[in-house]
Amino acid sequence: MGARATDSARVMKFTKALSGTTVILEKLRELAWSGIPDYMRPDVWRLLLGYAPPNSDRKEGILRRKRLEYLDCVSQYYDIPDTERSDDEINMLRQIAVDCPRTVPDVSFFQEPQVQKSLERILYTWAIRHPASGYVQGINDLATPFLVVFLSEYLEGGADNWSISDLSLENISNLEADCYWCLSKLLDGMQDHYTFAQPGIQRLVFKLKELVRRIDEPVSRHMEEQGLEFLQFAFRWFNCLLIREIPFHLVTRLWDTYLAEGDALPDFLVYIFASFLLTWSDKLQKLDFQELVMFLQHLPTQNWTHQELEMVLSRAFMWHSMFNNSPSHLAS
């Protein structure tokens, strides 16, 4: 947890922002950008994504209805024999079943068969209800921060000591529903990232290349001279929103900023990823093509703490303030 998110003055501000009958989302976004206290994160994320209403009187009724709707979807689409599925649906379910065990392999909690089943249900239900894209590898990663955050409402301590079998079936179902709806809301804002040929991601990778050229010309030129295409490393960053590039215990803090950005997130990702890449500006200029590919596939972030992540975010914020109002360099 970042020091800023836990200091008592910030906790007071969050408490105040959440205590009225109607939450002012702009105020909440502003606070959440710099990190949310752990125990408030589930409520704040639901609000930021528009899953829970800002009006607190309506919250319980809406969540109850949405959770029942998710249960209906699962029984309609998932809990049926394969004979009632099309060939495409059978293949999609198989692919999801293969990907779930590979999701966040270094967190033991995600290796629990029951957790993988929950993930499978969430992903398959989402894919069936979003036929324009269907399931795309990478979406499995995007569900994991939601699982961890919403599970923290039911289980004590860190994810390393959790077991989903400690939960009642009703709690598991509510947790899955919250993950499903929040994942849906997140992906609604980046629909063309996962449709055929993933044009949204291609476009952002191009913008990233242009931004890096503007901020750090020597790195940009060196990568070009070595024949390294941004798509070779940055596609995965946009596809999985950096989940595979940083230690998992930092992911929820990063996502506080993502969700605070709201509809502006896709464009702001370009600045975060430029800042992330240029953490290693000096190093990158000394590597040849083969070394660059290896280095960018296995970035040395395993010992990162909140400090390094805050550095990346504050640089991104600064560059965004400097460059975003002169977007000629980012013409798509």
Side-chain angles (χ1 to χ4, degrees):
M1 168 83 324
R4 286 197 61 189
T6 48
D7 77 46
S8 53
R10 275 183 63 69
V11 171
M12 290 280 291
K13 284 179 181 167
F14 271 101
T15 308
K16 191 173 171 210
L18 293 169
S19 62
T21 41
T22 303
V23 174
I24 297 162
L25 287 176
E26 271 323 294
K27 184 79 198 134
L28 192 61
R29 282 187 197 288
E30 216 172 283
L31 283 171
W33 203 97
S34 304
I36 303 165
D38 288 345
Y39 70 97
M40 294 179 170
R41 189 172 276 125
D43 283 331
V44 174
W45 278 20
R46 287 190 195 99
L47 283 160
L48 292 177
L49 283 158
Y51 169 46
N55 182 325
S56 57
D57 298 342
R58 293 174 53 226
K59 184 177 125 178
E60 266 183 50
I62 284 181
L63 292 187
R64 194 178 312 117
R65 197 182 76 235
K66 289 295 212 184
R67 287 164 176 172
L68 284 171
E69 193 182 327
Y70 170 74
L71 266 183
D72 279 351
C73 290
V74 169
S75 61
Q76 196 179 336
Y77 303 123
Y78 182 84
D79 295 334
I80 57 171
D82 277 355
T83 48
E84 291 180 29
R85 298 184 214 276
S86 70
D87 287 351
D88 283 351
E89 288 167 356
I90 289 173
N91 289 334
M92 190 160 69
L93 185 54
R94 273 200 198 121
Q95 184 60 60
I96 291 171
V98 167
D99 286 349
C100 284
R102 298 176 183 162
T103 308
V104 199
D106 46 353
V107 177
S108 56
F109 168 74
F110 283 107
Q111 302 314 304
E112 284 187 32
Q114 250 187 301
V115 175
Q116 292 175 8
K117 264 293 177 232
S118 286
L119 194 53
E120 191 177 293
R121 270 192 294 270
I122 293 163
L123 294 171
Y124 184 74
T125 306
W126 183 86
I128 291 285
R129 294 201 54 185
H130 294 81
S133 66
Y135 173 70
V136 177
Q137 284 177 298
I139 296 178
N140 52 318
D141 292 85
L142 304 188
T144 57
F146 297 123
L147 265 172
V148 166
V149 165
F150 295 130
L151 261 163
S152 72
E153 295 188 285
Y154 303 100
L155 299 172
E156 299 284 302
D160 304 338
N161 312 311
W162 285 353
S163 173
I164 201 168
S165 52
D166 297 341
L167 295 189
S168 68
L169 286 176
E170 184 190 358
N171 285 346
I172 291 176
S173 167
N174 288 344
L175 155 82
E176 280 182 26
D178 289 359
C179 291
Y180 168 81
W181 288 112
C182 287
L183 178 68
S184 300
K185 296 278 189 188
L186 175 75
L187 292 175
D188 283 350
M190 38 181 85
Q191 280 182 348
D192 63 350
H193 288 211
Y194 299 98
T195 50
F196 179 72
Q198 302 185 249
I201 292 183
Q202 307 255 8
R203 193 172 59 244
L204 292 180
V205 170
F206 174 78
K207 287 185 172 184
L208 175 64
K209 182 180 175 176
E210 291 300 299
L211 182 63
V212 169
R213 193 198 327 253
R214 185 153 188 202
I215 293 169
D216 193 330
E217 218 273 323
V219 164
S220 171
R221 191 172 55 241
H222 177 72
M223 288 167 76
E224 211 154 288
E225 283 166 0
Q226 293 301 320
L228 182 72
E229 287 294 335
F230 271 66
L231 270 174
Q232 288 172 283
F233 62 90
F235 188 88
R236 182 172 82 181
W237 297 5
F238 285 106
N239 200 43
C240 307
L241 299 186
L242 283 197
I243 287 179
R244 297 190 191 179
E245 319 309 322
I246 62 171
F248 194 72
H249 69 90
L250 297 177
V251 166
T252 48
R253 163 63 194 96
L254 174 60
W255 280 49
D256 292 341
T257 298
Y258 285 176
L259 302 186
E261 281 289 324
D263 294 340
L265 174 61
D267 284 328
F268 194 68
L269 287 174
V270 175
Y271 288 87
I272 294 180
F273 295 178
S275 176
F276 183 64
L277 175 69
L278 295 174
T279 301
W280 299 280
S281 170
D282 296 344
K283 169 96 178 165
L284 294 170
Q285 292 176 61
K286 299 187 180 93
L287 304 177
D288 66 19
F289 175 79
Q290 208 49 55
E291 292 166 334
L292 280 167
V293 171
M294 287 303 294
F295 183 73
L296 290 164
Q297 285 294 328
H298 306 282
L299 288 163
T301 57
Q302 58 277 13
N303 297 321
W304 271 31
T305 63
H306 283 272
Q307 205 175 344
E308 285 84 1
L309 182 60
E310 297 299 341
M311 207 43 226
V312 166
L313 292 172
S314 56
R315 243 191 338 247
F317 183 81
M318 179 183 74
W319 289 339
H320 184 259
S321 313
M322 286 165 64
F323 294 129
N324 197 46
N325 295 329
S326 52
S328 55
H329 66 297
L330 292 184
S332 37

